[in-house]
Amino acid sequence: IPEDIQVLFVIAPNSLSERDKYEIDQFLMRGGKLIFLIDGVEVSEEYMIAFPKSDGLDDLLEHYGIKREHNLVMDVINERVAMKQGPWQIIQDYPLWVKVNIPILKQLGLAVDHPIINQLDSVVLPWASSLEYTGSSEGNQVWELLKTSPKSWIQTGQFTLDPSRLPPPLPIQGMGEKSRTLALLISGKFTSFFKGKELPEPEAEPFSETSQRPPRLDESSETALLVVGNSRFIQDDYVNLGNSN
């Protein structure tokens, strides 16, 4: 990763090797800022099926203190979708397109006071997965930037995506309805995922015989890591779903 890069986006990778993760880790160690926009579930929109996504990032993220769930979050506050029913087109609520309504979260005391979200209205995350902070907050600041309403629930294992087959957008008893975190920001210092481990070899040697590999860093300077459990909200097809997308 070139030295002049200050912010690196990692958006919906299919699969990352150990060397890929090493380069990302070392970018963070040298003070670069990381933004992960990643899905916990792979969705086939053509066939309306989904399955847990395996991109190789779980162990890296959990080392930094963020657990990504391979679920689909549903919420009573959601975006509506248009679907055909015979010769008609009907508009209906679609709980799998979660609408994070910042003003409502502020009224409920669930929105943090942070400049990234303070001026936002609503962000729609299509087929989002939840996140959990599992690290030690000692010395670091942690913000739950995007959250669902307290009336959200989840699908796991077998996923139903077809709007006509989903139950009404109401919490289902026993599904553990609660507010769930969809975006986490950590600011502070981090320890390398590869500290004390053998260095992964690059697939192709990028350095000449006269140059040397940069030294491995085991501790970072002050930096920041942002993880969002969704990658689709920034894509052209979905950017107009929410006022703040």
Side-chain angles (χ1 to χ4, degrees), residues 113-126:
D113 182 19
H114 195 280
I116 289 181
I117 66 167
N118 278 350
Q119 302 303 315
L120 297 185
D121 181 21
S122 64
V123 179
V124 176
L125 305 179

Side-chain angles (χ1 to χ4, degrees), residues 33-243:
K33 294 179 172 61
L34 273 175
I35 297 177
F36 288 94
L37 308 181
I38 51 174
D39 305 294
V41 171
E42 188 74 52
V43 173
S44 170
E45 299 179 46
E46 181 180 0
Y47 299 104
M48 294 301 286
I49 59 174
F51 47 90
K53 184 165 186 175
S54 177
D55 52 23
L57 277 173
D58 283 344
D59 54 355
L60 182 68
L61 292 174
E62 289 187 28
H63 173 79
Y64 299 145
I66 297 179
K67 181 180 180 182
R68 169 186 52 174
E69 301 290 351
H70 295 275
N71 59 19
L72 284 176
V73 178
M74 312 174 76
D75 199 350
V76 295
I77 302 179
N78 56 70
E79 185 58 52
R80 311 189 82 193
V81 299
M83 62 172 294
K84 288 187 176 181
Q85 194 171 79
W88 313 103
Q89 185 177 66
I90 63 173
I91 306 294
Q92 69 177 71
D93 293 328
Y94 191 46
L96 286 166
W97 285 6
V98 176
K99 177 178 284 188
V100 181
N101 189 301
I102 305 299
I104 290 180
L105 293 182
K106 287 180 178 178
Q107 293 177 15
L108 296 174
L110 294 174
V112 297
D113 182 19
H114 195 280
I116 289 181
I117 66 167
N118 278 350
Q119 302 303 315
L120 297 185
D121 181 21
S122 64
V123 179
V124 176
L125 305 179
W127 299 298
S129 297
S130 61
L131 306 171
E132 180 184 355
Y133 182 69
T134 58
S136 170
S137 58
E138 182 178 354
N140 286 353
Q141 289 183 286
V142 181
W143 292 274
E144 296 177 320
L145 289 183
L146 299 179
K147 302 187 73 172
T148 68
S149 79
K151 297 295 186 180
S152 76
W153 67 109
I154 59 172
Q155 290 187 33
T156 58
Q158 294 183 333
F159 301 102
T160 301
L161 307 183
D162 187 344
S164 64
R165 295 174 55 201
L166 290 174
L170 298 171
I172 302 172
Q173 188 174 3
M175 292 293 286
E177 54 268 18
K178 64 178 183 179
S179 179
R180 290 176 165 82
T181 303
L182 303 178
L184 273 168
L185 172 66
I186 307 174
S187 178
K189 295 183 178 181
F190 299 83
T191 302
S192 172
F193 176 66
F194 291 91
K195 183 178 182 179
K197 298 179 182 178
E198 186 176 346
L199 180 70
E201 290 295 326
E203 296 179 8
E205 181 58 67
F207 304 103
S208 68
E209 295 181 359
T210 58
S211 65
Q212 293 182 343
R213 294 178 181 174
R216 178 168 66 181
L217 301 175
D218 289 336
E219 305 287 339
S220 80
S221 56
E222 289 282 339
T223 186
L225 168 67
L226 171 63
V227 181
V228 182
N230 188 252
S231 69
R232 289 180 172 82
F233 75 105
I234 64 162
Q235 297 177 12
D236 290 342
D237 291 345
Y238 302 104
V239 75
N240 291 324
L241 288 178
N243 295 334

